[in-house]
Every structure is written in C-alpha cells, then in structure tokens.
Amino acid sequence: MNQVTIHWDVVIALYIFFSWCHGGITNINCSGHIWVEPATIFKMGMNISIYCQAAIKNCQPSKLYFYKNGIKERFHITRINKTTARLWYNNFVEPQAFVYCTAECSRYFPETLICGKDISSGYPPDVPDKVACVIYEYSGNMTCTWNPGRPTYIDTKYVVYVKSLETEEEQEYLTSSYINISTDSLQKGKKYLVWVQASNVLGMEKSKQLQIHLDDIVIPSASIISRAEDINTTVSKTVIHWDSQTSIEKVSCEMRYKDTTNQTWNVKEFDTNFTYEQQSEFYLQPNAMYVFQVRCQETGKKYWQPWSSPFFHKTPEIGKK
C-alpha cells in the first residue's frame, strides 16, 4: 500500500480560505484566541504584535505556528508560555491580510487550527479640500465633490453638511465619495453653507465651509459639436457647427482646437445665445487632422461645463473641397 503524505498546512489554509469566503475569518470555529496589538485596524507602517493562545482540549502544544495569507511565517516568533506565542511585524504596510495560527499536538494531527483574524492597515483621512457644488441644468440635483487626499486603504465615510443661511436648518448626507442632492430638498432659500466631514477608525477631519448661492452654480446643459464644413473660398476655412439645449440667456463659451500632432491647444472665446445653431470659423492648415472641444458657462459665473467629447476633422488638401 502506498503511503499518502498529508500536508496539513495546506489543508488548514484551504479551510481558512473557504471560511473567509463564506462570512469572514471571524466566523471560523476557534480552539483558542488570536488578537492584535495595538488593534486589528491600525496605521500603515506601524509595528504590530499578533498573539495566539491555544485552548485545545487534551493538548499541550509543542509548537505554535502563524500563517499570513496562507503562507507560514518563519521569523519574529516568540513563545511566551506553554499556550501562547507572539508574532511581530516591523513597518507593516499591507492594506489587508488574514492571519491564523495553529498548534502542533502530539495526540492530534500535526497541526490543529486555533483561530484566525482579518487585519487592515491604512491612514486617517486627510482634510477634504476643493469642495465644489454645481447644478447641472435640467438634472434636478446639486452635485457636490471634493478632493479626499491620499488613499486611506480602509473604510472611510464622508458626511456632507448643507446648512441654510436663511433658516439655519441643517441637513446631513452620508456617502463614500461625491453626492447628488435633489434640488427639491433645497427649499430653504437660495444661500447655503456646505462642508464635508471625513472619518474612519483612525481619525476624523472637516473641510472648510463653502458658501453658495443656488442661482450662481448652475452649469448650462452640455454643448455638442455636430459637424464640420470646409469652404473653399479665396482663403480656405473650416466651419464648426455646434449647439446646446440650454435655456440660459447669457452664456460665455470657449472652443479649443489643435493639430493632433501638436501638444498645445489654441483657444477661441466668445459670448453667445443658443436661439440658433452655432457656427465657429477657423482658418486651418490643409491636409491635417484637427481635434475640437467646446465648453460654456453662464456669463459671469464660476463653473464651466466639462469639455465636450473630442470632435476630429481632417482638412482637405489644397485645391480640394
């Protein structure tokens, strides 16, 4: 009869893996206790200690082993007493890991699972900055965004506070990134203060307060370039046709364009209204591929539309229409 060699570290790793997939490490059946100091979620780069204490019936562990992500650790392990051992990490920088420990008991299989635990490292949130709120025309929402700073690597929540300067009423909106707030909920006047609070288990920060007036943050509906027309007159020119469905009367726009072989954009600025399709004229080099984009804002206001989708057009060769 052939002798079969059983690799119990592999068996235990598979057991841990399937337990982790079906509800987390903390749901496995433990025969002891595992804990992390200073905590299971800690600041990235810290030194941490992981303790394992066996409580296996009729077992005096001869050896205690640690595994991280299924790989047995070989170093920085200290036996504290008959049932407890410590694993030490210097400058731990992995965002997530799962660790477990086993015991070698003479009356049992070579290794018996004691317990396992998920650990996470990350950073407290930075102060949210560049808070901006806009209303895209016809959207029915006020969209607020901000720069969250560096990644935290751990679960971080953001609360957007909106306070009416006319009624003092304050509303809170919980999110994980940006937020869309229905304009129907903003019936407490036109003037508001907006600020963002970021928090996770490692810390909390608040942004500066942004003062807004709802009439000042409306962005006209998107502008779209529809077609290009080459006109062969005394001097060849290209006419770019574009439009928007905005109902805002006074609109300032700019169109940028460049030869696709160049890095530098040329920008043409103009004021307009959209009672008819727009036509912008350009005198371009022949037989060249150009890219165009347009954007608009309500005249005198702060926020621009995003640049429109790139529109590509190749000018004809000299003498050709």
Side-chain angles (χ1 to χ4, degrees), residues 128-184:
D129 67 352
K130 299 181 180 178
V131 178
C133 295
V134 298
I135 298 173
Y136 293 100
E137 189 179 12
Y138 308 130
S139 71
N141 292 316
M142 179 175 74
T143 301
C144 294
T145 60
W146 55 91
N147 177 12
R150 67 178 173 180
T152 62
Y153 299 106
I154 57 177
D155 184 39
T156 301
K157 298 297 184 185
Y158 295 88
V159 178
V160 179
Y161 293 87
V162 180
K163 181 178 181 180
S164 171
L165 289 174
E166 294 160 60
T167 67
E168 298 296 315
E169 182 176 327
E170 187 176 299
Q171 300 177 71
E172 302 177 12
Y173 301 90
L174 178 64
T175 182
S176 58
S177 54
Y178 70 95
I179 188 74
N180 284 323
I181 300 170
S182 172
T183 51
D184 290 339

Side-chain angles (χ1 to χ4, degrees), residues 8-9 63 67 121 129 146 149 177 201 227 241 280 284 315:
W8 290 106
D9 55 343
K63 292 182 179 179
Y67 292 80
S121 73
D129 67 352
W146 55 91
S177 54
V201 297
R227 62 191 178 95
H241 297 262
S280 300
L284 307 172
T315 56

Side-chain angles (χ1 to χ4, degrees), residues 35-214:
W35 70 97
V36 184
E37 292 184 1
T40 54
I41 304 176
F42 48 88
K43 188 173 181 180
M44 189 171 286
M46 288 188 66
N47 300 337
I48 65 167
S49 295
I50 300 174
Y51 293 88
C52 177
Q53 186 176 59
I56 305 169
K57 188 176 181 181
N58 300 321
C59 171
Q60 190 71 271
S62 57
K63 292 182 179 179
L64 294 170
Y65 301 106
F66 288 89
Y67 292 80
K68 177 167 66 70
N69 297 334
I71 300 174
K72 181 179 285 188
E73 297 290 8
R74 304 290 181 181
F75 306 103
H76 306 299
I77 298 173
T78 303
R79 188 72 177 259
I80 295 175
N81 55 39
K82 293 181 179 180
T83 61
T84 308
R86 169 181 177 253
L87 170 63
W88 179 74
Y89 288 110
N90 178 40
N91 187 32
F92 194 96
V93 293
E94 296 179 43
Q96 292 181 324
F98 64 92
V99 295
Y100 62 93
C101 56
T102 64
E104 187 175 293
C105 301
S106 57
R107 292 185 58 192
Y108 289 80
F109 296 132
E111 290 185 40
T112 300
L113 176 65
I114 297 174
C115 203
K117 190 168 289 290
D118 296 300
I119 62 174
S120 302
S121 73
Y123 298 106
D126 288 338
V127 176
D129 67 352
K130 299 181 180 178
V131 178
C133 295
V134 298
I135 298 173
Y136 293 100
E137 189 179 12
Y138 308 130
S139 71
N141 292 316
M142 179 175 74
T143 301
C144 294
T145 60
W146 55 91
N147 177 12
R150 67 178 173 180
T152 62
Y153 299 106
I154 57 177
D155 184 39
T156 301
K157 298 297 184 185
Y158 295 88
V159 178
V160 179
Y161 293 87
V162 180
K163 181 178 181 180
S164 171
L165 289 174
E166 294 160 60
T167 67
E168 298 296 315
E169 182 176 327
E170 187 176 299
Q171 300 177 71
E172 302 177 12
Y173 301 90
L174 178 64
T175 182
S176 58
S177 54
Y178 70 95
I179 188 74
N180 284 323
I181 300 170
S182 172
T183 51
D184 290 339
S185 67
L186 301 174
Q187 302 294 328
K188 310 301 179 183
K190 296 282 190 177
K191 297 179 182 179
Y192 291 87
L193 286 178
V194 180
W195 66 97
V196 179
Q197 176 181 289
S199 60
N200 60 32
V201 297
L202 300 178
M204 181 183 71
E205 295 287 354
K206 287 184 179 181
S207 72
K208 294 180 180 178
Q209 292 183 331
L210 172 70
Q211 185 170 335
I212 61 172
H213 191 291
L214 297 185

